Amino acid sequence: MIRVAAVGDVHLGRGSAGTFRPHVEHLQELADILLIAGDLTTCGHPDEARVVAEELAGLPVPVVAVLGNHDYHAGREDEVREELEAGGVQVLEGEAATFDVDGVSVAVAGAKGFGGGFLGACASDFGEPEMKAFVRHTKDIAERFCAALSSADADVRIALLHYSPVAETLAGEPLEIYPFLGSYLLGEAVDRAGADLVLHGHAHGGTEKGVTAGGVHVRNVAQPVIGQAYALYCLGSDSSSSATSRTMSGAAAP
Ligand SMILES: [Fe+2]
Ligand SMILES: [Fe+2]
């Protein structure tokens, strides 16, 4: 049994020092790994990322993250990544990492993802170069993400995104902004590669639970959605017991 603590959209800023750390200080008592589904910072400034890194540094469990759109806002995402990695956070973008938890191998494949919408109401690779660039950006990310997830050979495989792979976990957000909250291409990538669980954030007004067309459980762990410092999910190493249950959650949100 793998215990996964997950949260997205903590949006820490320069004044957030000391606000998140108390909630994860003793995380090893509840979880084997902490996954962060993007938007770690408020506006993507490296000094905000330094605050995040200090909040997470030296935790007793592996910490893995993808960046979100807020982490790109200042155009300094490479520095944001460097600051996070200096604090021991493993940042994934079209990449996978594998961990051993008491003899069970756990792979996490991660990518930011991007928008485009969902079947029947999605952007298409047609017309102006700006629209083609928008759609191609999602396609490129989805392909790299699919390759990373496919290459992850482990007992338990988790997909970590910022943007949503399904419309179901967006329920509660205005329909008009669905194309900016996720893309069906990410869901197709998950179903092609296979996974035991997909985690994402970004949709602050969405819904926690969903499922891909192929039957993979999806969880929107944006902090405003889960309403707590993190959600905790338990995954069995036996694929027949991969149904994910949220057993309990972390302490109150900072
Ligand atoms: Fe966010
Ligand atoms: Fe976001």
Side-chain angles (χ1 to χ4, degrees):
M1 184 73 77
I2 306 299
R3 305 168 302 167
V4 178
V7 64
D9 303 87
V10 293
H11 289 288
L12 299 187
R14 295 183 178 96
S16 302
T19 60
F20 191 70
R21 181 84 188 185
H23 301 286
V24 293
E25 187 91 62
H26 303 291
L27 193 58
Q28 79 278 13
E29 296 168 11
L30 297 172
D32 301 304
I33 191 167
L34 172 62
L35 304 182
I36 305 179
D39 280 2
L40 296 91
T41 67
T42 303
C43 290
H45 290 289
D47 52 356
E48 295 175 339
R50 199 170 307 128
V51 170
V52 177
E54 287 168 359
E55 294 296 288
L56 299 172
L59 286 187
V61 300
V63 183
V64 183
V66 295
L67 301 186
N69 58 313
H70 280 247
D71 305 316
Y72 277 69
H73 181 65
R76 300 176 70 179
E77 60 273 12
D78 291 344
E79 294 168 77
V80 167
R81 179 172 181 156
E82 287 171 12
E83 292 287 353
L84 294 171
E85 291 181 338
V89 179
Q90 186 153 4
V91 180
L92 303 176
E93 179 51 53
E95 300 155 287
T98 304
F99 305 87
D100 181 87
V101 177
D102 295 331
V104 177
S105 57
V106 182
V108 182
K112 174 179 64 68
F114 198 52
F118 300 89
L119 286 176
C122 59
S124 60
D125 188 3
F126 181 87
E128 301 92 328
E130 290 83 1
M131 181 57 77
K132 291 175 181 172
F134 180 90
V135 173
R136 284 176 187 166
H137 185 56
T138 306
K139 285 185 175 178
D140 289 346
I141 289 176
E143 284 172 13
R144 289 201 305 275
F145 170 63
C146 185
L149 190 54
S150 298
S151 71
D153 182 19
D155 299 318
V156 174
R157 299 197 302 160
I158 301 169
L160 181 62
L161 293 162
H162 182 58
Y163 286 77
S164 178
V166 295
E168 200 175 355
T169 50
L170 305 183
E173 295 277 11
L175 274 175
E176 291 84 351
I177 67 169
Y178 275 31
F180 305 106
L181 297 177
S183 167
Y184 76 98
L185 295 170
L186 301 169
E188 287 189 346
V190 167
D191 286 338
R192 272 203 309 278
D196 296 295
L197 174 65
V198 190
L199 300 167
H200 76 87
H202 191 47
H204 293 204
T207 298
E208 183 189 2
K209 295 182 179 179
V211 64
T212 69
V216 179
H217 293 271
V218 179
R219 297 293 182 263
N220 176 0
V221 293
Q223 197 169 64
V225 171
I226 60 175
Q228 289 165 297
Y230 54 84
L232 189 62
Y233 304 104
C234 292
L235 290 163
S237 57
D238 175 359
S239 60
S240 67
S241 63
S242 62
T244 306
S245 59
R246 180 173 164 188
T247 57
M248 59 185 298
S249 299

